[in-house]
Amino acid sequence: MTKKVLLTSILTVFLLAMTFAQERLVVKGNKKYAEYSFSPAIDIYKKVIDKGYVTSELLEKLGNSYYFNANYEEAEKVYKQLIETYGSEVGPEYYFRYGQTLKTLGDYRNSDSILARFADMSSNDLRSKIIKTAKDYKEEIARNSGRYDIELFEYNSKYSDFAPAFYKEGLIFSSDRDTGNLARYRHTWNSKDFLDIYKVNTDSSSNNRVVKMNMLNSRLHESTSVATRDGTTIYFTRNNFVDGKSRKDEEGVVRLKVFRINWKDGEWSAIEELPFNSDSYSVAHPALSPDEKTLFFAADMADSKGASDIYKVSINEDGTFGLPMNLGAAVNTEARETFPFVSSENILYFSSDGHPGLGGLDIFATKIDNENISNPVLNVGEPVNSNRDDFSYIINEENKRGYFASNRADGMGADDIYGFLETRPLIFECLQPITGTVRDKISNDVLVGATVKVINEENEEVLSAITDDNGNYTLSCDCNQGNFVRAQTQGYIPAEEYLPISDGKPIIIDFYLEREIVDAGFGDDLFKLLQLSTIYFDFGKYDIRRDAEIEIQKVIAAMDKYPSLKIKANSHTDSRGADSFNLWLSQKRAESTVNYMISQGIDADRIKGEGYGETRLINECDDGVKCSEEKHQLNRRSEFIILE
């Protein structure tokens, strides 16, 4: 008994020691994670999990560490384990990242399912609204695809090459290729060498050679950059590195900042830190407007919606800056919006994993109109976009050539630069042609001069058209948003159709308007109100002719529409024949009309008939007057008088 107690005590102490050791490792891993040192954090978390110590928080951070390092294969395994094990305990953000990871791996069916669950969990999230309203996003991407011819940049290396920027006649870009320091400095985010900025074909020293731009580089990261057209000013991204020392925030993280350098009096000036940088948040990826009076950049400032947002700031004449402004919900989501670029046609290109894409970061575009950034955001499509990370897009609008970076599988290194030729433009204005005819619903007659309007979802009239002599109209609407098409004319009830967001294919909408006969009174002729053709009979006969049957069906349609309507069928003959015969014949015609309508479903108490013989002629063709058959035909008729 004593031995069993002793063994139990020893085992308990051992397990407690093991648990304490795992917890200490987790604390160490969390410290690395908080410092964005994801590579060592991964090593630590894996050791802990291999020893059987697993928590939801541990899986969350391990999954994120893989996700932020673009190791989507491993991220998928961890997120899957997290959600399958802890289910309802898992926050919506992990469903979003799991869905994005599945999409990156090409599993769109399961990705759509997981992202739909995320949308249900986060009803107030902008991404949730986008997911719910963009269910046909793959069709939109397909429409925008096939517009580029791409090829690998000939100066790529087996390392990471990205962030191309136009500079003079060549390019500058960022790379962690061999820097000549024998990898003395490595970044703990991904355990790779720090990035430097390089140039190629910008001057004689870089003619067909990749050369470091030493005046920009430090022992930490330098990455995305942009130069003015004359090449005298360069904005670039660097770690928070001032006076030869790196600076950390309160959590021990070295943030990113944007710096500026100017060519003046034959030499480069001292590097200048921009005033809206901060030690407590990151500012990165500068881009210039076509007039070079506005600087765009990505940041995670206090008012950011997500992991990073795109901002803009005015550049004053004296080189000072205005106040940074978030581009807002038209561009930014709760995820990552980054790597902005503005073309000479005022098109803002950027990368995002918050807008619907093919996986990882996709490249998107939106038109900037007079400082207005509320136009649709469009995915630029394949082959520029893929199911991996695609980013740092630039284009020369004059020759339609440009560059972007991607970590797709067919490259040489971790990230590679691709050159492209845009073979056809991205269409921002999606105009859907609409044609059709406006007719009377009962008579089928065309309605000339009817108005057809396009009204947006804010109930604002966008444009209108008038029907021609054939009742036809032609107009168009913006197919990037839902619209109502409404037809109306005096004396008729307006009718409208809703057109959802579409691919812009032409559509035909015919309108059949109903008359406003609710104001008709006792004794009014229904045929005149509905503009129907008169019901005629053959000489000496009372059976319903085929042409009369068509018109009577229109009366039946009106009675179906207005259940309280009661009518009387008055029938008439021409003057030929005896008066008594004509009275009998007209009564038979009235009865034929009534019986036909009852056979078609009209209640007998809603219609009655009466024959008037030749007592109500509508022309001069009385007894003894010689008239043509056509004139006599006009008197052999039935009419419908409203009783109630």
Side-chain angles (χ1 to χ4, degrees), residues 10 28 93 127 133 137 155 162 167 170 205 207-208 296 310 358-359 380 407 446 449 455 463 504 517 579 609 611 639:
I10 292 172
K28 183 179 179 182
E93 192 63 29
R127 292 169 297 175
T133 58
Y137 73 94
Y155 299 101
F162 69 101
Y167 180 60
S205 66
N207 185 27
N208 294 321
F296 292 79
I310 296 177
L358 296 172
V380 303
N407 61 0
V446 298
I455 300 169
L463 70 162
I517 66 170
D579 291 352
E639 56 194 8

Side-chain angles (χ1 to χ4, degrees), residues 45-65:
Y45 291 148
K46 286 175 64 178
K47 287 179 183 178
V48 173
I49 291 174
D50 289 344
K51 293 182 181 295
Y53 185 90
V54 181
T55 65
S56 60
E57 181 185 7
L58 187 60
L59 291 175
E60 289 172 355
K61 291 181 176 177
L62 178 58
N64 289 345
S65 298

Side-chain angles (χ1 to χ4, degrees), residues 42 63 65-76 101 388:
I42 289 172
S65 298
Y66 284 127
Y67 184 84
F68 294 135
N69 266 321
N71 188 342
Y72 296 112
E73 289 79 7
E74 294 300 323
E76 187 274 335
T101 300
R388 306 297 289 196

Side-chain angles (χ1 to χ4, degrees), residues 260-420:
R260 177 170 62 181
I261 189 171
N262 293 296
W263 178 262
K264 190 175 182 180
D265 298 330
E267 61 181 359
W268 289 105
S269 65
I271 292 175
E272 171 192 3
E273 179 182 343
L274 301 193
F276 45 84
N277 287 328
S278 172
D279 293 342
S280 60
Y281 56 76
S282 287
V283 177
H285 316 316
L288 286 167
S289 62
D291 61 7
E292 300 183 348
K293 294 180 179 180
T294 303
L295 185 73
F296 292 79
F297 59 91
D300 58 352
M301 295 179 175
D303 64 341
S304 296
K305 296 179 179 296
S308 63
D309 281 11
I310 296 177
Y311 291 77
K312 67 176 183 176
V313 63
S314 59
I315 305 173
N316 301 320
E317 291 290 337
D318 61 358
T320 60
F321 296 87
L323 295 176
M325 185 179 78
N326 190 300
L327 295 194
V331 170
N332 295 316
T333 70
E334 290 82 355
R336 294 178 293 177
E337 278 71 45
T338 186
F339 296 104
F341 172 80
V342 183
S343 76
S344 60
E345 294 186 359
N346 268 325
I347 299 174
L348 169 65
Y349 294 91
F350 64 96
S351 290
S352 170
D353 59 5
H355 294 275
L358 296 172
L361 290 170
D362 269 28
I363 296 166
F364 296 85
T366 186
K367 189 78 173 177
I368 304 174
D369 297 324
N370 298 321
E371 299 298 315
N372 174 40
I373 305 178
S374 60
N375 290 304
V377 170
L378 303 181
N379 188 301
V380 303
E382 296 180 295
V384 165
N385 283 328
S386 68
N387 64 343
R388 306 297 289 196
D389 289 324
D390 308 294
F391 54 101
S392 60
Y393 175 106
I394 62 173
I395 185 172
N396 180 332
E397 295 284 15
E398 292 183 3
N399 58 22
K400 299 300 180 181
R401 294 189 178 275
Y403 300 87
F404 69 98
S406 178
N407 61 0
R408 61 190 65 184
D410 62 359
M412 294 177 59
D415 298 312
D416 288 285
I417 297 172
Y418 291 77
F420 67 77

